[in-house]
Amino acid sequence: MDNEEFRDWSRRAADWGVDYRASLRDRPVRPAIAPGEIFRSIEASPPETAEPMEKIFADFEERIVPGMTHWQHPRFFAYFPANAAPVSVVAEYLVSAMAAQCMLWQTSPAATELEMRIVDWMRQALGLPEGFSGVIQDSASSATLAAVLTMRERALDWQGNRQGLAGQAKLRVYSSDQVHTSIDRAIWVSGIGEENLVRIPVSGRFRAMDTAALEAAIVADREAGLLPAGIIACVGGTSTGGTDDIAAAAAVAKRHGLYLHVDAAWAGSAMICPEYRHFWAGVEGADSIVFNPHKWLGAQFDCSIQFVRQPEDLVRTLAIKPDYLKTRGHDGIINYSEWSVPLGRRFRALKLWFLLRAHGLEGLRKMIRNHVAWSEGLAERLAKEADFELVTEPMLSLFSFRHRAAPGADADEHNLRLVDAINTDGRIYLTQTRVDGRVAIRFQAGQFESTAADVDMAFDVVTEIARHLA
Ligand SMILES: *Cc1c(COP(=O)(O)O)cnc(C)c1O
C-alpha cells in the first residue's frame, strides 16, 4: 500500500466508522447467526497473491460486520459497557498510525510522561489522595495478577520469584464469592492455588464480606501455620454489583500486615462523581486499586488503570532488572514495563487525554448520573408490574430482576428462555446471572450514546416479550 492508497483507505475507514456508529440504532444488538456460519464463509487457506483493497474492504462489510455483536449500540444493556467515545477512537487512529512500543521511557518518552500525568489526572478525578501512583495496564485481569504477585512476593519476603513456591509456607488470600473470575485466575497463575483462596461469607444488600469472619479466618490460618498474604475486595462485582466495606477490609489488612487489592473495574468510573464515593469509603487504605476507563468512562478498549501506594513493591515484583530500583525517583525515569507482566505496551494514555479534554469531567459525570437515574427509573417501573420482581436493587446503574413463571413452570427455565427471546429479538441485549442459586436477569445502563428513550424501549421490549412467552 503506497502513501496515496494509505490516505485513501484511512479516509474510507474513518467514513465507514462514522456511518457505522450512525446506523447502530437500526441494527440488532446481537447478530442473528448460528455458530460456524462466519468461519465457513472465510477461505480455508491464505491467498498466494495480492488481492485488491476494494475486495478486502467489501468482504469486511459483507461477511464480518453482520456477524458482530454491537458493543457501541445505545441499547446494549448486557455485561458491562466497553465504551469507545468517538474522540477516543480518533486518538486510537493516531496511536495505531505511530504504532510505538511503550515499554521503556526511551522507547516512547512522550507516551511514558503523558501516562504519568494522565494516571495522576485520574487519581484526582476519582478523589484518591496524593501518594497513589499508577500504571495503565491492558486489563483488570492483568492488574489483579500484578497485585496478587506483589502480595505473594511481599508475604514471602521477596523470595517467591527466586525460589519458587515449593517448600514455602502455604499462602492464603481472602475474598468474597462476589469477585470477578479474574481473581481466581490470578490465584491460579501466581501458583497460590484455588484451595488457598479463602471465600469469606457475605451479607446485606451489597453482599459485603463479613469482616469479623475475615479476621477470624486470618487468625485461624496463622495459628495453623499458613501464610496469609492479602485481601481482595470488590466495589461493584460483576454479577449484581456486590460491594465490600472497604474501610473495614483495610482495617483488617492493616492490623494483620496484609496487602489489600480493590477491584473496582466497572464501578470505579462512577467515582468521578463525589456522591458515589461512599461506595468505596476507606479506599485510601488500599495498597492497589484497579479500575477500567475502557468500561463505563469511554476510553476505547483496552485501558485499565492500576493505582498503587508503593510502586517500589510492584517494581520489585515485576522488574527483570532490579538495578532500576536504585535510580527510580532520582532521574525521574519510569520504565512502565517494570510495572506490568507483558514487556511490550501500547500507548494507552493518549485516548484518555483526548477523552478527558473533549468531554471534561463535568460532561462525563453527567453521562454517568443519567445512566444511574435511568436504571433506577427502570427498576422502579418493573418492580411495579405484578408479574415482575426485583432480585437485586440498583447498585449504581446495575440491577437484576425476574419474571414470574406461570404456575407449575420452572422459574429458572422461564427466565433463561426470556433472556434468549429478548436477545434474539435484537432491539436490546441483556445477560443473566444467578443470585442465591436462582436465575436472574441483569440490566445495566452505561452506553456512551444511550438516551432515556433507549431505556424506555428496554421496558417495552422486556414486558412485551415476557408476556408473549408466558
Ligand atoms: C470487567 C471486570 C473485570 C475484568 O476486566 P478485564 O479488563 O476484562 O480483565 C474484573 N473485575 C470486575 C469487577 C469487572 O467488572
Side-chain angles (χ1 to χ4, degrees), residues 80 138-141 180 182 236-238 263 265-266 292 294-295 301 304:
F80 282 138
D138 55 359
S139 63
S141 303
H180 188 262
S182 55
T238 317
D263 178 2
W266 161 68
N292 282 353
H294 74 224
K295 277 187 169 159
F301 188 85
S304 177

